[in-house]
Amino acid sequence: MIEKLFVKEGIKRVRLNEYFVKELERAGYGGMEIKRTPMGTQITVKVEKPGIIIGKDGKRIKKLTEEVSKRHELDNPQLDVQPIEVPDLCATLMANRLAKLIERGWHFRRAGRSMLQRIMENGTSGCEIVMSGKLKGPRGRTEKMVEGYIKHCGEVAEEMVDRGYAIARVKSGVIGVQVWIVRPDAERPDAFRIIKKEEPEVKEEEVKEEVKEEEVIKEDEEDKDKEYEEEGGGDKEE
């Protein structure tokens, strides 16, 4: 019974995500998060242009909340819209953009390289793009593009890497697009940095004291030389 419940919740999440991808395309949909609260279901939607979802006087978001409640059978859904700080570093958003370029007729290599370069220029340390399907010819194939540092498995990958998936529908069939982006603020476990050894600063007072000591020593040496010369001079006169 528990397994069926998990499967049912997973299907709801996938259908809700597909609904947002279709409805919020103009707003630049970049993913969602679902949390269960005592008040109901809180859905956090990340978009590039929040104003399009909210609408005038919040009418658009109210209508969207009602449609989500009716279609997906969620308990008192509450939509929270958050803007994406750096759109070019959101994996879901970039995957959707890449899928749209392929649907418009761009060659998959040109579109993938262009998107990879755009992502790397925004300060990330690593990115990977995978496209699979009937890219060229009747047979399916997979094209992978990697640049920088990337992790694929383990807890490190879950914390460091943002993953996005989209589908491009073309005449030859369906092409799946996966985008993996290393978050800019992520700390690599194998990273290291060289710390330069700082030389202790010498204060001006200490320098002045050293100069005074040297002057005193010189004066003492000069006095001794004079005394020696005077004594030597007296012997010669005798």
Side-chain angles (χ1 to χ4, degrees), residues 7-237:
V7 171
K8 188 177 179 181
E9 292 296 325
I11 292 172
K12 278 186 181 181
R13 184 183 292 270
V14 171
R15 287 178 177 173
L16 184 61
N17 185 63
E18 290 177 352
Y19 173 75
F20 283 145
V21 169
K22 185 178 179 181
E23 292 293 325
L24 307 180
E25 181 182 351
R26 289 178 58 248
Y29 176 67
M32 68 168 187
E33 293 179 2
I34 300 176
K35 292 182 180 179
R36 302 287 183 182
T37 63
M39 301 296 293
T41 306
Q42 183 178 359
I43 304 171
T44 304
V45 182
K46 298 178 182 179
V47 293
E48 185 180 3
K49 302 172 183 177
I52 296 177
I53 298 179
I54 297 171
K56 189 176 181 180
D57 298 330
K59 292 181 180 179
R60 169 70 173 160
I61 194 170
K62 289 179 182 177
K63 185 179 179 181
L64 190 64
T65 305
E66 292 175 359
E67 290 180 0
V68 168
S69 179
K70 290 178 182 178
R71 291 190 178 189
H72 301 281
E73 300 177 356
L74 295 175
D75 183 22
N76 189 20
Q78 299 174 357
L79 287 181
D80 179 23
V81 181
Q82 290 187 358
I84 301 172
E85 295 180 359
V86 186
D88 290 341
L89 295 180
C90 178
T92 302
L93 181 59
M94 299 309 287
N96 289 327
R97 287 180 178 177
L98 180 55
K100 291 300 177 185
L101 290 177
I102 295 173
E103 288 178 351
R104 290 174 188 171
W106 281 47
H107 192 272
F108 66 93
R109 283 202 189 95
R110 180 190 171 195
R113 287 294 175 189
S114 174
M115 200 62 63
L116 184 65
Q117 183 179 359
R118 184 173 179 177
I119 293 169
M120 294 301 296
E121 286 176 353
N122 280 271
T124 182
S125 59
C127 176
E128 179 176 336
I129 295 175
V130 180
M131 295 171 283
S132 58
K134 294 181 180 180
L135 300 173
K136 191 176 181 182
R139 298 183 64 180
R141 55 176 293 186
T142 300
E143 184 78 13
K144 183 186 291 186
M145 301 176 183
V146 186
E147 189 168 343
Y149 176 90
I150 195 79
K151 292 290 287 185
H152 294 88
C153 61
E155 185 179 356
V156 178
E158 293 180 1
E159 294 177 355
M160 290 178 55
V161 182
D162 183 22
R163 305 177 185 181
Y165 177 75
I167 295 174
R169 293 174 175 84
V170 294
K171 292 181 180 180
S172 59
V174 174
I175 297 174
V177 177
Q178 292 183 7
V179 178
W180 295 26
I181 301 174
V182 177
R183 296 183 179 90
D185 56 345
E187 295 183 1
R188 291 169 48 181
D190 56 346
F192 65 91
R193 58 180 180 176
I194 300 173
I195 301 174
K196 294 183 179 179
K197 187 178 180 181
E198 296 181 358
E199 296 181 358
E201 296 181 359
V202 181
K203 296 181 180 179
E204 293 182 1
E205 295 178 357
E206 294 179 356
V207 174
K208 290 179 180 179
E209 289 179 359
E210 290 179 358
V211 171
K212 287 180 180 179
E213 289 178 359
E214 290 178 358
E215 291 177 355
V216 171
I217 292 169
K218 286 182 179 179
E219 289 177 358
D220 292 340
E221 289 178 353
E222 290 176 357
D223 293 338
K224 288 180 181 180
D225 291 339
K226 287 180 181 180
E227 291 177 359
Y228 179 75
E229 288 177 358
E230 290 176 357
E231 291 177 358
D235 293 338
K236 287 180 181 179
E237 288 176 358

